[in-house]
């Protein structure tokens, strides 16, 4: 097992990474916890709830299970309310512990429920998708969707620990693995050129979820994310670089209607577009753009953006959270391993959209 430490003003906590961590969840339960609620969905529950419950039984605490419907469409108030219903019906007090067993949807919702229930109770992240293991379970962004916007209602709220079991990845659909790998590569691109090279040299082992390789990829990703959120928990500066590829990616997701492409797939393709824009604005070499395209392709993500129409693209990117006064701000790479956030002239953005467009 390896441990990555996260230190933010909102909380200090360990990320434990290893094969079989699902059987050791009790190690992360503080003694003074009064009761535990394991929150999951039918897909993950049918695979891993039994193992999670068995490990938590070792604590001797009262345990309940809450099963939420699976899918982004259920990341809303109604589902959140069912968590509160179960906690109140079972008389859970302020010393209870919520355990988020699932992907990013479960993690975001349970984290937000923990932030709100009795003005804040503890929660443990047990991420089961690659995306959740390398990204959403770390850093304390929690929340739900509003009909008018994704992740618009939420809180910064840190877990007490993150338990990452690499074994659970073997039941993930291949597309979900590729989508998670896009976020892994992202860390190399924005902050660690050496890690990008490392990934480039190990694509097949990464895709095959080779234990040693995927464990290191998760560890390094968590270290990168921990560093960034440690410097800037609430995204007043540096944390924005984690959005590399996301301005284009969000436009793909919103333009096609959420659910068509996976988030990580849209980010993968968006990183190629952002790299192309970087070549036009901050001097990223064309050989580097090519390397990025090749790696995104090799991990199994789409490399051709959908044809949304140039003006629709611009419109969609103008609603990005980083936009200021109608100016679209992008995370750009002067070189692999280094990111800056700045506005790009619209004529250059249009040019890049044409260049990367499906013919
Ligand atoms: P998800 O939670 O919907 O999981 C994807 C699918 O895989 C689901 O059907 C799920 O039931 C299933 N699944 C999960 N683990 C499995 C396993 N081990 N084996 C088989 N199937 C499994 O999607 P996701 O990609 O994990 O997360 C996406 C969500 O994360 C979005 O809501 C996004 O907004 C959020 N997110 C949050 C942050 C953050 O910082 N908080 C960062 C990135 C993404
Ligand atoms: Mg992302």
């Amino acid at each position: 097992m390896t441990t990555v430490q996260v230190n933010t003003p909102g909380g200090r906590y360990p990320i434990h990474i290893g094969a079989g961590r699902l059987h050791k969840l009790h190690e992360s339960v503080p003694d003074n916890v009064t009761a535990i609620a394991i929150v999951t969905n039918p897909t993950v529950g049918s695979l891993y709830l039994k193992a999670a419950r068995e490990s938590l039984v070792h604590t001797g605490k009262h345990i309940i299970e809450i099963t939420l419907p699976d899918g982004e469409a259920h990341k809303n108030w109604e589902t959140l309310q069912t968590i509160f219903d179960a906690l109140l019906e079972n008389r859970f007090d302020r010393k209870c512990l919520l355990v988020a067993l699932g992907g990013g949807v479960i993690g975001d919702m349970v984290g937000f429920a923990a932030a709100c229930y009795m003005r804040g109770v503890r929660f443990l992240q047990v991420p089961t998708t690659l995306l959740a293991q390398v990204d959403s379970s770390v850093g304390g962004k929690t929340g739900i969707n509003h009909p008018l916007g994704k992740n618009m209602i939420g809180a910064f709220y840190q877990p007490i620990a993150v338990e990452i079991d690499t074994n659970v990845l073997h039941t993930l659909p291949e597309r979900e693995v590729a989508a998670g790998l896009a976020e892994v590569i992202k860390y190399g691109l924005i902050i660690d050129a050496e890690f990008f090279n490392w990934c480039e040299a190990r694509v097949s082992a990464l895709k095959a979820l080779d234990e040693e390789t995927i464990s290191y990829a998760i560890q390094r990703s968590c270290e990168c994310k921990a560093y960034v959120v440690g410097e800037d928990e609430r995204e007043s500066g540096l944390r924005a670089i984690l959005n590399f590829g996301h301005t284009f990616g969000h436009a793909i997701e919103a333009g096609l209607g959420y659910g068509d492409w996976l988030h990580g797939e849209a980010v993968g393709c968006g990183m190629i577009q952002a790299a192309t824009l970087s070549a036009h604005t901050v001097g990223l070499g064309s050989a580097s753009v090519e390397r990025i395209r090749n790696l995104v392709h090799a991990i199994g993500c789409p490399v051709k953006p959908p044809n949304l129409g140039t003006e629709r693209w611009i419109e969609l990117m103008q609603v990005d959270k980083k936009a200021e006064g109608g100016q679209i701000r992008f995370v750009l790479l002067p070189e692999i391993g280094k990111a800056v956030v700045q506005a790009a002239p619209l004529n250059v953005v249009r040019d890049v959209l044409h260049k990367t467009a499906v013919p």
Side-chain angles (χ1 to χ4, degrees):
M1 181 193 73
T2 27
T3 301
V4 175
Q5 185 64 30
V6 185
N7 297 317
T8 67
R12 296 161 162 267
Y13 55 95
I15 306 168
H16 296 140
I17 305 160
R21 286 309 298 169
L22 204 51
H23 302 280
K24 309 270 177 177
L25 299 184
H26 53 281
E27 293 177 5
S28 283
V29 179
D31 284 342
N32 68 353
V33 160
T34 47
I36 300 172
I38 312 174
V39 189
T40 189
N41 69 33
T43 313
V44 179
S46 66
L47 294 162
Y48 303 115
L49 183 57
K50 186 165 173 279
R53 190 200 311 113
E54 278 172 8
S55 68
L56 291 167
V57 160
H58 289 302
T59 62
K61 316 278 183 196
H62 174 55
I63 299 173
I64 67 165
E65 290 156 12
I66 303 173
T67 302
L68 309 177
D70 188 2
E72 185 73 36
H74 301 285
K75 191 175 153 183
N76 56 24
W77 273 119
E78 203 188 330
T79 312
L80 194 70
Q81 182 74 6
T82 63
I83 305 180
F84 299 140
D85 292 347
L87 298 176
L88 287 166
E89 279 160 13
N90 287 279
R91 299 174 186 275
F92 269 47
D93 65 20
R94 297 178 68 179
K95 289 205 168 134
C96 71
L97 176 73
L98 309 192
V99 177
L101 176 67
V105 169
I106 290 286
D108 278 16
M109 264 195 298
V110 175
F112 189 43
C116 299
Y117 187 67
M118 299 199 171
R119 300 196 181 86
V121 297
R122 289 167 289 185
F123 87 112
L124 173 65
Q125 285 276 20
V126 188
T128 60
T129 62
L130 183 57
L131 181 121
Q133 295 186 346
V134 300
D135 188 0
S136 63
S137 67
V138 176
K141 280 192 181 176
T142 72
I144 55 172
N145 299 327
H146 184 278
L148 296 179
K150 224 180 150 246
N151 295 326
M152 284 300 164
I153 314 297
F156 285 98
Y157 196 67
Q158 305 289 347
I160 58 164
V162 184
E163 286 289 356
I164 297 180
D165 188 339
T166 49
N167 283 344
V168 304
L169 297 176
H170 293 282
T171 53
L172 266 187
E174 218 172 298
R175 269 182 78 188
E176 299 281 353
V177 174
L181 287 176
E183 298 278 5
V184 169
I185 291 170
K186 180 192 76 181
Y187 293 111
L189 289 172
I190 59 173
I191 209 170
D192 186 351
E194 198 50 52
F195 182 49
F196 181 82
N197 300 343
W198 183 93
C199 291
E200 217 175 21
R202 286 165 185 81
V203 180
S204 18
L206 285 169
K207 284 180 72 177
L209 299 170
D210 167 71
E211 171 56 26
E212 200 181 318
T213 314
I214 202 70
S215 291
Y216 180 73
I218 294 167
Q219 179 196 329
R220 192 65 201 130
S221 298
C222 289
E223 284 167 356
C224 291
K225 182 138 188 198
Y227 166 74
V228 172
V229 302
E231 293 289 308
D232 177 22
E233 184 183 25
R234 292 183 171 237
E235 198 164 326
S236 40
L238 183 70
R239 189 165 180 161
I241 68 171
L242 296 172
N243 284 315
F244 178 64
H246 284 60
T247 311
F248 289 100
H250 286 151
I252 295 175
E253 291 183 275
L256 293 178
Y258 286 94
D260 201 343
W261 287 32
L262 297 177
H263 171 73
E265 292 176 328
V267 168
C269 186
M271 291 196 298
I272 299 171
Q273 292 175 288
T276 310
L277 182 59
S278 302
H280 284 71
T281 50
V282 293
L284 182 69
S286 57
S288 297
V289 179
E290 233 10 71
R291 282 177 67 195
I292 296 168
R293 181 193 309 279
N294 290 340
L295 189 51
V296 170
H297 180 66
I299 59 168
C301 283
V303 295
K304 283 273 185 197
N307 194 355
L308 305 174
T310 305
E311 291 321 302
R312 178 76 180 129
W313 267 104
I314 301 277
E315 211 177 278
L316 287 164
M317 292 196 291
Q318 272 164 343
V319 301
D320 186 83
K321 286 201 201 91
K322 290 186 298 306
E324 277 175 11
Q327 279 249 35
I328 315 171
R329 295 169 77 243
F330 291 90
V331 183
L332 300 168
L333 308 178
E335 58 190 78
I336 288 178
K338 200 167 165 193
V340 296
V341 184
Q342 65 181 58
L346 278 185
N347 59 324
V348 182
V349 177
R350 285 197 179 91
D351 205 28
V352 166
L353 286 169
H354 285 134
K355 280 208 172 94
T356 55
V358 179

